[in-house]
Amino acid sequence: THFTCFHKLRRIVTANFQRSVCVERGWREYSECGVLRDSWNLWWRTTGLPLSHYKTLKTWQFTNHIPKGSSICRKDNLARYLRCMRKIYGNIYDFSPLGYNLPLEYTKLVAEFSRHSKNGGESVWICKPVGQSQGRGIFLFKDLGDLCYDSNAIVQRYIQNPLLIGGYKFDLRLYVCIPSYHPLTVYLYREGLARFSTDKFSMADLTNPFCHLTNSSLNKWGPGYNEKKERVGAGCKWSLKQLRRYFHQAKISDWLLWQRISALVVLTVVSQLSGIPNTANCFEFYGFDVLIDSSLRPWLLEVNLSPALGNDCDIDAIVKKPMLHDMFDLLGLPMCNTGLSLFTIWSNSTSENNSNDISSSENEDEENEPQKLRLFSGRKEAIHSSAISVVAAASRWKRRHQQKNHTTNVSATRSRKKSVCLQSTSLPSTTVPNPNGRKPRTRSTGTKTPIKSSSNSPNIAQNSYSTSSLAFSEDEESGQRCINAQMLQDSWTHYNPLLIDRSKNQVRGFHGQNKYPPPMLWGNGRDWRSPTAGEGNWVRLYPLGPTTQYHPAQESQELPSTTQADREVKNVVSAVHKYSKAAREIFKRNPTFSDELLNSEMKQTLGLTSDVWLPTK
Ligand code: ADP
């Protein structure tokens, strides 16, 4: 699926939230045609991205997969990577059930079986075909004689003591976003899903998939799906918020569990870091499946490359839609790639000029909407009405979402305020785009945008990637993100392919001079050397504290050297080790503390610059 700045979407197979969110944000489906061949900004693929495809991307083009980023999403690779990491880093990697890749490791499995039976134990195993998903082809067995497989499969020790709610087994679907592997930058969303089986859990019957498998694609066809099940209710999904409410009612202290889960996510991601080339303009969006056992210990079951974004029930809409909106904000995808971005910047800037109070413009309620529109309509000739409605819709959504989060997520709101503030304060009135009141061209005009700009503002830091005309640069000292009108104009022309005059050969992709652009710098100006602490409900898990120095040698290489990568992996694991240890000790010392107190203790102890990740309660 491709999206363009004048947003078109290609190859829609099923209606899902990814499409509707793009449409809500003013994107349109792309249809390939002659001269406009490269006129798209986002390629949303359900499969991984081969390096050869990546190399053809242009500076303004983004994709939801990182080359080689899908390795951990194959069950056999994941088992191999985690086992290898366990050998090197020890029991910090004990979060994956013991598993064997078949047919390669059949003899090891046999040896484990005989060792176990000699000790008089009888264990249960689960066999999962490597190339399948959604619970297909999975079965449980006790005797080796019952194991039969006709394709590559993984056999894993079955977790026999899952945490049950009302007698039903469940697992978690967590959303993880990796905008950069070099340097490693990991975000985890505060919301997610708890997915229930629809028959009560019982080890007496190993053949009933509805009591052992929690895949919702399977359970929505189960006989118990519509039943009002004990504690769980009808359906088979809860949000994490519901789950946390249940934990609270059941007096289950879950703070440490979530800290273990966040550690598990970073440790899993880092296991494939050394195989990932330096890349810019692409991100990974994973779905992590985690099972919790009765001792509140999390187990990683699987990492999904293209987590389902379909709309099966109300909970899906509550969780997935805001998550995608927040992810677009986090990645800065609308910025410089859409007409929306310019209008949004303008809108913020104009409000700021009028009120001098960014935070009030952030929190303004629905009644203030006409005010904002009036500001636009004062420049009626400059703004297309459909653009206004897109801006208005996006602003409305943002405000609604912020209001909802305000009470539960003060810090997230703060970070959002910051980003809006930074956009608007950095645009003095003289540099508001389009001071002549002319309309930024749309696709139908097909010519360059007539944005005028004043000369460069002197306070703009010059650390942008010189050959890619970034729209933003980071002012290291003040920590402010500044927008310069000239840069804005550049970005508008360079990153909106439909506005590029091809006869002047202004298209600049990742070839020739730009063959391997610094991976931390994106074509839309995002600089992942100093990643934001969070956006909406996305919370940065890594880096934990102030960003570490990045090795400049990596900037020009396709693959980081083995020693560089090993050093990076070691740093990450040791940071997570420190984090997990602190979490354990703090929780042990203060088991009755509230989430807020535990979080602030963690932040103080570790000097964290981002929030401690916890699902919303
Ligand atoms: P798929 O890709 O087919 O969804 P998963 O690895 O996610 O495969 O497994 C499907 C379901 O089987 C999980 O949602 C979980 O309920 C159950 N399951 C998988 N592995 C284990 C395990 N080792 N122990 C207990 N339950 C498991």
Side-chain angles (χ1 to χ4, degrees):
T1 303
H2 291 65
F3 293 91
T4 153
C5 54
F6 300 102
H7 319 299
K8 297 187 229 155
L9 162 69
R10 182 168 149 182
R11 277 192 283 123
I12 287 296
V13 184
T14 49
N16 61 29
F17 288 120
Q18 165 247 337
R19 185 186 196 282
S20 60
V21 163
C22 284
V23 170
E24 274 173 29
R25 297 175 75 92
W27 296 67
R28 274 202 271 155
E29 190 177 348
Y30 166 83
S31 59
E32 200 163 315
C33 62
V35 70
L36 301 177
R37 202 176 59 248
D38 287 324
S39 308
W40 55 267
N41 292 100
L42 175 62
W43 186 3
W44 192 282
R45 295 166 53 99
T46 45
T47 54
L49 184 75
L51 199 56
S52 56
H53 276 56
Y54 171 75
K55 284 178 176 171
T56 64
L57 293 183
K58 304 287 187 280
T59 319
W60 58 84
Q61 297 178 331
F62 297 80
T63 173
N64 63 327
H65 292 300
I66 293 175
K68 309 257 167 77
S70 60
S71 299
I72 51 169
C73 301
R74 266 185 66 116
K75 294 179 177 75
D76 49 353
N77 282 346
L78 180 67
R80 209 174 37 244
Y81 285 175
L82 295 181
R83 202 179 319 141
C84 177
M85 294 297 276
R86 199 201 175 285
K87 269 191 194 138
I88 303 169
Y89 296 105
N91 58 9
I92 191 171
Y93 270 91
D94 272 347
F95 54 76
S96 166
L98 177 69
Y100 298 96
N101 291 330
L102 301 185
L104 210 66
E105 297 172 332
Y106 183 76
T107 44
K108 285 188 187 166
L109 176 68
V110 174
E112 176 64 26
F113 252 86
S114 58
R115 196 169 42 244
H116 212 72
S117 51
K118 254 187 224 154
N119 296 340
E122 189 194 45
S123 52
V124 177
W125 297 80
I126 183 167
C127 178
K128 311 191 259 189
V130 164
Q132 301 268 26
S133 61
Q134 304 186 332
R136 281 181 289 239
I138 295 183
F139 61 93
L140 275 58
F141 65 98
K142 279 183 186 169
D143 295 328
L144 205 50
D146 293 336
L147 171 63
C148 56
Y149 57 97
D150 53 11
S151 62
N152 286 12
I154 174 164
V155 167
Q156 249 179 12
R157 192 182 289 281
Y158 188 66
I159 309 292
Q160 296 187 50
N161 61 331
L163 182 66
L164 303 178
I165 296 183
Y168 294 89
K169 177 179 173 178
F170 68 98
D171 74 354
L172 307 179
R173 163 58 55 90
L174 301 161
Y175 298 103
V176 174
C177 180
I178 316 277
S180 161
Y181 269 92
H182 305 289
L184 184 67
T185 311
V186 184
Y187 291 89
L188 180 57
Y189 201 62
R190 283 186 205 269
E191 252 304 2
L193 299 169
R195 304 167 311 171
F196 289 87
S197 61
T198 43
D199 267 354
K200 287 205 176 188
F201 182 78
S202 158
M203 286 307 291
D205 180 5
L206 298 186
T207 58
N208 180 357
F210 300 114
C211 71
H212 292 285
L213 306 190
T214 50
N215 303 75
S216 33
S217 50
L218 177 104
N219 279 288
K220 69 182 175 192
W221 306 112
Y225 181 75
N226 289 318
E227 236 173 62
K228 269 200 158 243
K229 295 175 282 299
E230 186 186 339
R231 296 239 47 159
V232 176
C236 67
K237 280 184 200 170
W238 278 8
S239 64
L240 292 189
K241 196 177 195 167
Q242 278 175 288
L243 181 65
R244 290 212 71 198
R245 220 176 293 146
Y246 165 80
F247 284 159
H248 184 72
Q249 285 164 3
K251 305 220 175 333
I252 295 175
S253 306
D254 58 347
W255 184 86
L256 189 59
L257 164 73
W258 303 115
Q259 302 321 309
R260 284 183 171 147
I261 289 177
S262 68
L264 162 164
V265 166
V266 180
L267 291 171
T268 304
V269 162
V270 80
S271 71
Q272 65 167 0
L273 182 131
S274 50
I276 306 231
N278 280 326
T279 50
N281 284 24
C282 47
F283 58 97
E284 276 297 353
F285 166 56
Y286 297 117
F288 271 60
D289 292 350
V290 173
L291 185 77
I292 305 168
D293 73 16
S294 55
S295 64
L296 285 193
R297 182 175 167 177
W299 294 93
L300 176 70
L301 296 182
E302 200 194 11
V303 182
N304 286 275
L305 184 64
S306 287
L309 293 173
N311 185 5
D312 277 348
C313 59
D314 293 350
I315 298 294
D316 278 340
I318 290 168
V319 171
K320 294 176 187 175
K321 216 170 179 188
M323 181 266 296
L324 285 171
H325 270 294
D326 283 350
M327 189 168 77
F328 274 65
D329 286 344
L330 171 72
L331 301 171
L333 285 182
M335 304 299 290
C336 309
N337 296 294
T338 71
L340 174 60
S341 64
L342 280 185
F343 289 117
T344 309
I345 290 165
W346 190 4
S347 140
N348 289 331
S349 171
T350 319
S351 330
E352 195 239 351
N353 290 337
N354 282 278
S355 68
N356 277 335
D357 182 357
I358 297 307
S359 52
S360 72
S361 93
E362 261 293 283
N363 292 319
E364 77 190 333
D365 51 29
E366 292 290 328
E367 281 120 63
N368 289 342
E369 188 62 29
Q371 164 79 14
K372 189 163 257 178
L373 286 180
R374 263 205 306 281
L375 293 172
F376 278 117
S377 60
R379 300 162 195 258
K380 220 170 20 199
E381 68 284 16
I383 302 168
H384 194 277
S385 62
S386 69
I388 296 177
S389 64
V390 170
V391 172
S395 312
R396 262 200 309 275
W397 183 89
K398 271 190 162 186
R399 277 201 305 280
R400 255 203 325 269
H401 189 56
Q402 279 161 12
Q403 276 166 4
K404 221 167 58 192
N405 283 342
H406 187 68
T407 46
T408 52
N409 184 8
V410 175
S411 53
T413 311
R414 216 182 299 130
S415 90
R416 189 190 289 267
K417 267 181 197 166
K418 188 179 157 209
S419 76
V420 173
C421 161
L422 293 174
Q423 284 169 15
S424 47
T425 50
S426 56
L427 265 182
S429 55
T430 51
T431 62
V432 167
N434 206 350
N436 294 345
R438 279 190 284 161
K439 168 168 127 182
R441 301 291 172 89
T442 58
R443 188 166 66 94
S444 56
T445 64
T447 51
K448 280 190 188 181
T449 178
I451 297 169
K452 284 267 165 63
S453 60
S454 63
S455 58
N456 285 4
S457 162
N459 65 349
I460 303 291
Q462 298 299 315
N463 71 341
S464 56
Y465 177 43
S466 57
T467 55
S468 65
S469 301
L470 291 179
F472 303 135
S473 61
E474 198 80 24
D475 183 333
E476 299 280 350
E477 281 192 292
S478 65
Q480 276 203 339
R481 191 168 270 259
C482 306
I483 300 173
N484 164 300
Q486 182 60 53
M487 294 164 103
L488 201 58
Q489 181 180 14
D490 286 350
S491 75
W492 182 238
T493 51
H494 289 317
Y495 299 113
N496 284 279
L498 291 168
L499 299 174
I500 291 171
D501 180 353
R502 278 159 197 279
S503 62
K504 290 188 185 155
N505 198 19
Q506 285 176 320
V507 179
R508 286 179 296 163
F510 291 161
H511 291 291
Q513 215 183 348
N514 287 351
K515 194 168 178 197
Y516 302 122
M520 74 293 284
L521 295 178
W522 277 16
N524 65 354
R526 280 288 191 266
D527 182 347
W528 298 106
R529 278 172 307 192
S530 44
T532 174
E535 180 67 52
N537 273 331
W538 286 100
V539 177
R540 194 184 74 207
L541 295 189
Y542 196 87
L544 293 164
T547 43
T548 47
Q549 253 211 325
Y550 190 68
H551 206 290
Q554 287 192 12
E555 292 183 11
S556 56
Q557 295 170 6
E558 188 176 3
L559 252 179
S561 76
T562 321
T563 35
Q564 278 164 1
D566 287 350
R567 201 182 317 128
E568 175 73 356
V569 173
K570 211 169 152 191
N571 288 342
V572 175
V573 177
S574 106
V576 176
H577 190 270
K578 220 167 118 189
Y579 184 93
S580 306
K581 193 165 168 238
R584 262 194 325 270
E585 284 169 2
I586 287 170
F587 187 71
K588 206 170 156 195
R589 267 203 314 272
N590 317 292
T592 55
F593 267 21
S594 66
D595 288 348
E596 290 71 27
L597 284 173
L598 289 164
N599 287 357
S600 78
E601 190 89 347
M602 276 293 274
K603 285 179 101 166
Q604 240 173 18
T605 310
L606 297 169
L608 302 182
T609 52
S610 53
D611 276 348
V612 172
W613 179 79
L614 267 185
T616 40
K617 206 166 179 176

